[in-house]
């Protein structure tokens, strides 16, 4: 057997081995297309086509294409440099995961009160000289105030979350300058990253940390909000910070808990609807679980009144186990399915690293003076097949709004390149006889920019036809019956 044949056999064997190992997983080519290719994240490295017999590079669309039966083995997905596939890629490395609760009644924590209990243990045992926590301002209500605490009463007053950036690292430096040598630090993942960088960087503040031991307690964090934004939001909803006793983010809902004596309903909104009040930096952040902390704490994965704890190193482990042995906290192992839940949520955040701020432009277009009503001629079958092959643009929404008698259509440039001089034509017609037609030329259309068009209608029995063309011809042709769009969803 020649060396070459031997090598090829070895390669095929390892491919087969991987295939059997991954077979049955859900990481199929469809998932690769949905998460990486269709979203514009693909680097065109060709690793997927290079590792699968039924994938080729489609020169027409400049993307991978399936030319045989996909077994769903998952190799292409797992091989792609832009997917997050291992647990440690997604939530960082950790030694052990718990669900935990404070055993001290004085601690009124955000979830299990574990962060405060851990710091209380450290201060009581003389392991920590002070802790850097975040309190709420007494005058500018709910404004986060990073604070150095050295006694338990002050510490207990700092429990609970403020979903607003807190400048904890500046306070940590103040504590170091004041001569504290063993400090418990609590921060969001971005805060923890700043400390970790200082602890490691020879070109930064390393000298300050030579004399100081830090216990880095990182919080889980999906995003934080601006103080001004949340203040405006409360005002728009007939409330203010004086009425708020607690803020929580649970199961995708941001809830402002109001003082019970007011007899008002709490204000609850889906977190994604508050995105305009979120800090812009958070849309570039991929760390949900404070991967650089010694101990990470959050609520995802635990029951109400408990906290999820990831212990990342020996220092964190020793500290946590000792706090449990001294009766400050109760620990239970975190079930695998809860770790999986955390992994799935963290993965969504990881992928946001690649997500450009989405551009969405709403365009109101003017009617074309068409004169006498004429027959409209939808694109022929061959043109539609040719356009589908080019796969340049996609229709993402086709919707009728009955109250305003508006037809709304959203299209996205999914070609991965900037498109010039694209013409969109929207015709409202009945029995192919034109009622009204609108036209608009998109002079420059950026990759993955979504455009939204709105046009009016009067006859609910009529239909719409949306067509997009560039210099090379038809890009998209789609019809929509108003009757169907207006029918109640089952
Ligand atoms: C901005 C933000 C976003 C979060 N998002 C999530 C999330 O998406 N999913 C999730 O599971 N958990 C999230 N958390 C963490 C969660 O709210 C709890 O802090 C965590 O579960 C610990 O609860 P506990 O009862 O053990 O902590 P506690 O004993 O109540 O202690 C909380 C500690 O956090 C400190 N703190 C409060 N606000 C801030 C702040 N802005 N910056 C730094 N430190 C602060 C407090 O001073 C206190 O030391 C977030 C926290 C913050 C601050
Ligand atoms: S058979 Fe090919 S396309 Fe399908 S999941 Fe496996 S590697 Fe991907
Ligand atoms: S492996 Fe991933 S990044 Fe590379 S070409 Fe395939 S989909 Fe694109
Ligand atoms: S989402 Fe990231 S950047 Fe935003 S507060 Fe949380 S850790 Fe910091």
């Amino acid at each position: 057997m020649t060396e070459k044949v031997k090598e090829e056999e070895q390669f095929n064997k390892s491919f087969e081995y991987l295939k059997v190992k991954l077979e049955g997983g859900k990481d199929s080519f469809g998932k690769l297309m949905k998460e990486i290719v269709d979203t514009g994240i693909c680097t065109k490295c060709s690793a997927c086509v290079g590792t699968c017999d039924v994938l080729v590079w489609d020169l027409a669309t400049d993307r991978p294409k399936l030319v045989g039966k996909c077994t769903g083995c998952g190799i292409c997905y797992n091989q792609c440099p832009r997917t997050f596939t291992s647990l440690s890629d997604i939530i960082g490395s950790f030694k052990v995961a718990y669900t935990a609760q404070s055993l001290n009644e004085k601690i009124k924590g955000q979830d299990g009160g574990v962060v405060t209990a851990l710091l209380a243990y450290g201060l009581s045992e003389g392991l920590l000289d002070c802790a850097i926590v975040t309190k709420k301002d007494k005058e500018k209500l709910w404004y986060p105030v990073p604070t150095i605490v050295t006694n338990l009463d002050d510490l207990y007053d700092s429990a609970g979350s403020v979903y607003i950036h807190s400048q904890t690292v500046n306070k940590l430096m103040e504590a170091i300058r004041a001569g504290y040598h063993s400090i418990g630090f609590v921060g969001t993942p971005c805060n923890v990253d700043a400390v970790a960088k200082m602890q490691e960087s020879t070109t930064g503040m390393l000298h300050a940390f030579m004399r100081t031991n830090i216990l880095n307690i990182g919080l889980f964090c999906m995003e934080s909000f601006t103080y001004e934004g949340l203040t405006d939001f409360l005002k728009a909803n007939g409330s203010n910070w004086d009425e708020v006793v607690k803020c929580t983010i649970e199961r995708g809902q941001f809830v402002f808990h109001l003082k019970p004596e007011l007899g008002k309903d709490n204000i609850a909104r889906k977190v994604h609807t508050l995105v305009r009040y979120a800090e812009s930096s958070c849309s570039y952040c991929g760390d949900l679980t404070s991967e650089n902390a010694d101990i990470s704490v959050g609520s995802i994965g635990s029951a109400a009144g408990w906290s999820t704890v990831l212990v990342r190193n020996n220092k964190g482990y020793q500290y946590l186990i000792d706090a449990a042995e001294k009766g400050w906290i109760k620990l239970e192992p975190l079930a695998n399915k809860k770790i999986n839940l955390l992994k799935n949520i963290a993965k969504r955040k990881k992928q946001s690293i690649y997500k450009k701020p989405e551009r969405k432009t709403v365009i109101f277009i003017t009617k074309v003076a068409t004169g006498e009503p004429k027959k409209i001629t939808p694109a022929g079958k061959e043109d539609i097949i040719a356009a589908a092959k080019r796969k340049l643009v996609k229709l993402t929404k086709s919707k009728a709004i009955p109250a305003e008698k508006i037809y709304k259509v959203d299209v996205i440039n999914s070609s991965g390149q900037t498109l010039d001089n694209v013409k969109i034509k929207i015709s409202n017609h009945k029995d192919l006889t034109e009622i009204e037609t609108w036209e608009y030329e998109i002079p420059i259309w950026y990759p993955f920019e979504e455009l939204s068009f709105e046009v009016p209608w009067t006859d609910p029995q009529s239909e719409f036809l949306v067509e997009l063309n560039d210099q090379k011809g038809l890009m998209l042709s789609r019809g929509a019956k108003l009757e169907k769009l207006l029918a109640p969803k089952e």
Side-chain angles (χ1 to χ4, degrees):
M1 193 185 291
T2 65
E3 271 310 299
K4 192 154 176 28
V5 173
K6 214 166 145 193
E7 254 178 40
E8 211 165 280
E9 259 192 12
Q10 269 172 357
F11 172 80
N12 287 341
K13 258 191 202 153
S14 57
F15 187 75
E16 285 310 316
Y17 166 78
L18 204 58
K19 235 175 158 173
V20 171
K21 201 162 161 260
L22 294 168
E23 196 100 40
K26 293 197 183 87
D27 301 340
S28 67
F29 180 61
K31 195 164 158 191
L32 185 75
M33 285 300 279
K34 188 165 163 244
E35 288 183 14
I36 309 298
V37 182
D38 286 346
T39 48
I41 293 172
C42 168
T43 65
K44 303 183 181 173
C45 74
S46 75
C48 50
V49 299
T51 48
C52 177
D53 295 342
V54 292
L55 283 182
V56 295
W57 195 259
D58 182 4
L59 291 172
T61 58
D62 209 16
R63 52 182 67 193
K65 182 180 165 188
L66 205 56
V67 288
K69 194 174 175 307
C70 169
T71 61
C73 72
I75 291 179
C76 57
Y77 185 87
N78 283 277
Q79 198 53 72
C80 172
R82 289 271 158 123
T83 54
F84 295 97
T85 44
S86 78
L87 187 61
S88 62
D89 276 354
I90 298 171
I91 57 174
S93 57
F94 63 94
K95 279 175 79 74
V96 52
Y98 295 106
T99 181
Q101 200 175 42
S102 152
L103 289 172
N104 184 314
E105 282 182 359
K106 285 190 181 160
I107 296 175
K108 307 286 176 229
Q110 181 72 11
D111 298 304
V114 172
V115 173
T116 308
L118 286 177
L119 296 174
Y121 151 74
L123 289 176
S124 309
E125 294 285 320
L127 293 172
L128 300 176
D129 302 337
C130 73
I132 310 299
V133 292
T134 294
K135 292 195 177 200
K136 299 163 198 91
D137 197 282
K138 298 273 184 274
E139 282 165 17
K140 194 173 174 179
L141 297 177
W142 277 88
Y143 193 78
V145 186
T147 310
I148 303 171
V149 292
T150 52
N151 65 66
L152 292 187
D153 285 340
D154 269 355
L155 174 71
Y156 294 158
D157 187 39
S158 72
S161 298
V162 187
Y163 296 110
I164 297 167
H165 275 321
S166 169
Q167 300 201 315
T168 49
V169 188
N170 195 16
K171 213 25 105 178
L172 172 67
M173 297 313 287
E174 194 182 310
I176 292 173
R177 280 192 287 268
Y180 293 108
H181 290 303
S182 186
I183 304 176
F185 175 83
V186 184
T188 49
C190 52
N191 296 174
V192 167
D193 284 352
V195 176
K197 194 164 184 179
M198 284 181 173
Q199 282 176 303
E200 284 159 17
S201 163
T202 48
T203 53
M205 296 304 299
L206 185 61
H207 62 282
F209 286 84
M210 297 266 188
R211 291 180 293 127
T212 316
N213 180 38
I214 312 277
L215 178 77
N216 239 328
I217 303 183
L219 304 172
F220 292 4
C221 179
M222 200 51 126
E223 69 254 289
S224 72
F225 298 85
T226 66
Y227 184 75
E228 293 70 25
L230 292 184
T231 307
D232 288 350
F233 172 81
L234 281 171
K235 197 171 164 201
N237 286 278
S239 186
N240 58 58
W241 286 117
D242 189 31
E243 297 186 345
V244 177
V245 283
K246 189 171 180 179
C247 297
T248 54
I249 300 183
E250 290 159 35
R251 291 184 185 82
Q253 292 258 332
F254 193 128
V255 186
F256 294 88
H257 299 256
L258 303 184
K259 287 175 180 160
E261 61 270 27
L262 294 170
K264 287 170 121 181
D265 286 340
N266 291 338
I267 303 171
R269 291 288 180 282
K270 290 225 178 313
V271 183
H272 69 83
T273 65
L274 298 180
V275 69
R276 59 183 294 235
Y277 306 115
E279 284 286 354
S280 61
S281 57
C282 301
S283 57
Y284 300 96
C285 178
D287 184 356
L288 173 74
T289 59
S290 281
E291 293 172 35
N292 283 318
D294 297 313
I295 300 172
S296 300
V297 188
S299 63
I300 299 172
S302 283
W306 289 74
S307 301
T308 295
V309 181
L310 301 179
V311 187
R312 300 201 180 269
N313 53 32
N314 288 341
K315 179 165 87 177
Y317 184 71
Q318 202 59 55
Y319 191 95
L320 188 89
I321 295 300
D322 210 40
E325 278 172 7
K326 297 262 163 40
W328 284 94
I329 50 169
K330 182 159 77 176
L331 291 175
E332 285 178 15
L334 188 68
N336 268 345
K337 71 174 188 204
K338 298 296 179 188
I339 297 179
N340 263 333
L341 170 79
L342 180 61
K343 177 183 155 193
N344 291 339
I345 297 174
K347 187 175 160 190
R348 285 211 302 270
K349 190 170 183 201
K350 273 281 172 237
Q351 282 169 333
S352 72
I353 301 172
Y354 295 129
K355 215 168 155 193
K356 278 198 306 183
E358 275 155 13
R359 227 200 277 239
K360 186 156 183 173
T361 314
V362 179
I363 297 172
F364 298 91
I365 48 182
T366 44
K367 196 169 90 172
V368 179
T370 42
E372 283 297 301
K374 55 179 189 217
K375 283 272 176 199
I376 64 156
T377 38
K381 204 173 164 192
E382 274 178 18
D383 290 333
I384 293 175
I385 293 171
K389 272 196 185 145
R390 287 168 72 205
K391 271 193 191 156
L392 290 173
V393 294
K394 260 197 203 152
L395 192 128
T396 50
K397 195 179 277 167
S398 168
K399 185 177 169 187
I401 305 168
E404 297 163 49
K405 291 200 166 176
I406 275 182
Y407 173 63
K408 196 168 184 301
V409 59
D410 290 2
V411 279
I412 192 163
N413 169 4
S414 48
S415 68
Q417 50 191 290
T418 303
L419 299 171
D420 298 310
N421 306 324
V422 176
K423 289 195 177 85
I424 179 163
K425 187 169 162 186
I426 305 177
S427 314
N428 182 215
H429 63 88
K430 199 168 180 181
D431 305 327
L432 286 182
T433 301
E434 171 191 281
I435 302 173
E436 279 182 289
T437 295
W438 295 263
E439 273 181 6
Y440 183 81
E441 183 162 329
I442 307 155
I444 182 156
W445 193 3
Y446 294 103
F448 295 92
E449 180 178 15
E450 200 169 8
L451 301 174
S452 184
F453 297 90
E454 295 183 0
V455 294
W457 50 267
T458 46
D459 186 349
Q461 305 295 321
S462 63
E463 296 177 29
F464 276 97
L465 177 70
V466 180
E467 288 194 337
L468 279 91
N469 281 276
D470 67 356
Q471 306 89 308
K472 291 183 194 154
L474 188 72
M475 303 170 94
L476 180 96
S477 173
R478 289 283 281 276
K481 287 186 177 168
L482 273 179
E483 215 175 7
K484 215 167 164 189
L485 296 179
L486 292 167
K489 299 266 174 297
E490 281 169 18

